[in-house]
């Protein structure tokens, strides 16, 4: 099963009726990391009227939010909803508001916090994390051309290539692609390619899956 997260922190801001809204998003793995990120943003913006947050982490299946003094349901929930609609997890979002003196009303607050969260998501690099295998192929130069022609058909990612006495390729292969790839490689090389399965893991496939 795949999931989406962000590769590194990102931020974006806009002004609505003189109130500045600044959205911050960051990758987190645990509840403690999320709390630490929230506190770090609060420390940066001690003079802000509100530091609203929401986060979702896979560990213990946690999702939390805070309106931080805004009317109930107008801030934290809209931010959390943006994360859910983007299918993001292992992320924390904080939206800081510097009050501009003009009340926005309930609907206006929902739109503003949603917009700030969406802008921060747009500014981030979204990773498509897929369950895959890391495999090592070792072959001679005579078969390398044939193998390199086959690999793009299976959405593989080449992590490392070593052209020594033999050709050694370290690849990431989606779980569902592993057996079909192995079958075609075996048939194309008459079983002469050496393949080592180095284990299962989650990796970012956003570069090959659009």
């Amino acid at each position: 099963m795949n999931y989406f997260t962000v590769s590194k922190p990102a931020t974006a801001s806009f002004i609505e009726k003189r109130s500045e809204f600044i959205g911050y998003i960051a990758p987190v793995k645990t509840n403690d990391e999320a709390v630490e990120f929230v506190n770090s943003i609060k420390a940066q913006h001690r003079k802000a009227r509100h530091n609203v947050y929401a986060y979702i982490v896979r560990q213990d299946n946690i999702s939390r939010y805070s309106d931080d003094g805004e009317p109930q349901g107008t801030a934290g929930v809209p931010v959390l909803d943006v994360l859910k609609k983007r299918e993001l997890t292992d992320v924390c979002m904080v939206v800081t508001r510097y009050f501009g003196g003009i009340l926005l009303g309930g609907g206006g607050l929902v739109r503003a916090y949603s917009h700030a969260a969406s802008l921060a998501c747009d500014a981030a690099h979204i990773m498509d994390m897929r369950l895959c295998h890391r495999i090592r192929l070792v072959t001679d130069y005579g078969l390398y051309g044939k193998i390199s022609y086959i690999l793009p058909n299976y959405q593989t990612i080449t992590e490392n290539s070593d052209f020594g006495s033999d050709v050694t390729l370290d690849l990431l292969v989606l779980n569902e692609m592993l057996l079909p790839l192995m079958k075609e490689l075996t048939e194309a090389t008459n079983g002469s390619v050496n393949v080592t399965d180095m284990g299962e893991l989650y990796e970012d496939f956003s570069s090959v899956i659009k």
Side-chain angles (χ1 to χ4, degrees):
M1 184 177 178
N2 69 307
Y3 67 94
F4 298 95
T5 189
V6 297
S7 59
K8 59 184 178 180
T11 185
S13 64
F14 79 105
I15 294 174
E16 177 71 18
K17 295 183 178 177
R18 299 208 303 241
S19 280
E20 183 180 15
F21 292 85
I22 312 167
Y24 297 90
I25 190 169
V28 294
K29 292 289 188 183
T30 65
N31 187 79
D32 288 347
E33 285 184 16
V35 172
E36 184 179 338
F37 179 67
V38 171
N39 289 337
S40 72
I41 299 302
K42 286 183 175 181
Q44 288 180 45
H45 298 285
R46 296 187 190 282
K47 294 183 179 180
R49 177 69 69 90
H50 307 282
N51 286 287
V52 168
Y53 67 80
Y55 59 87
I56 302 172
V57 293
R58 288 184 303 144
Q59 186 182 90
D60 300 324
N61 195 28
I62 293 171
S63 65
R64 298 208 168 107
Y65 67 88
S66 168
D67 294 313
D68 194 34
E70 293 283 29
Q72 186 175 355
T74 63
V77 169
V79 172
L80 184 63
D81 283 346
V82 169
L83 298 182
K84 288 181 176 179
K85 286 174 183 174
R86 301 280 184 124
E87 298 181 37
L88 293 170
T89 191
D90 285 350
V91 294
C92 182
M93 175 82 72
V94 182
V95 179
T96 297
R97 180 190 183 189
Y98 284 91
F99 183 54
I102 300 174
L103 297 175
L104 301 183
L109 287 173
V110 170
R111 287 189 294 274
Y113 279 104
S114 296
H115 186 53
S118 294
L119 289 176
C121 289
D122 291 341
H125 169 64
I126 306 299
M127 298 193 298
D128 186 349
M129 304 299 290
R130 302 269 178 152
L131 200 57
C132 64
H133 282 255
R134 179 178 283 119
I135 63 171
R136 175 166 290 169
L137 303 184
V138 180
T139 186
D140 61 48
Y141 282 84
L143 292 172
Y144 172 65
K146 189 175 288 188
I147 291 170
S148 63
Y149 179 77
I150 291 170
L151 294 179
N153 297 327
Y154 292 89
Q155 297 176 313
T156 61
I157 295 174
T158 302
E159 285 194 310
N160 187 51
S161 54
D162 181 13
F163 296 90
S165 55
D166 290 310
V167 179
T168 302
L169 303 174
D170 290 338
L171 307 171
L172 297 174
V173 185
L174 292 167
N175 271 19
E176 62 270 24
M177 295 287 191
L178 182 61
L179 290 179
L181 172 61
M182 298 292 291
K183 183 174 184 290
E184 184 166 353
L185 286 175
T186 300
E187 291 173 351
T189 65
N190 292 319
S192 61
V193 63
N194 182 274
V195 182
T196 304
D197 189 338
M198 300 166 70
E200 191 178 55
L201 70 161
Y202 275 100
E203 282 290 346
D204 177 23
F205 273 76
S206 61
S207 63
V208 294
I209 299 175
K210 302 300 181 183

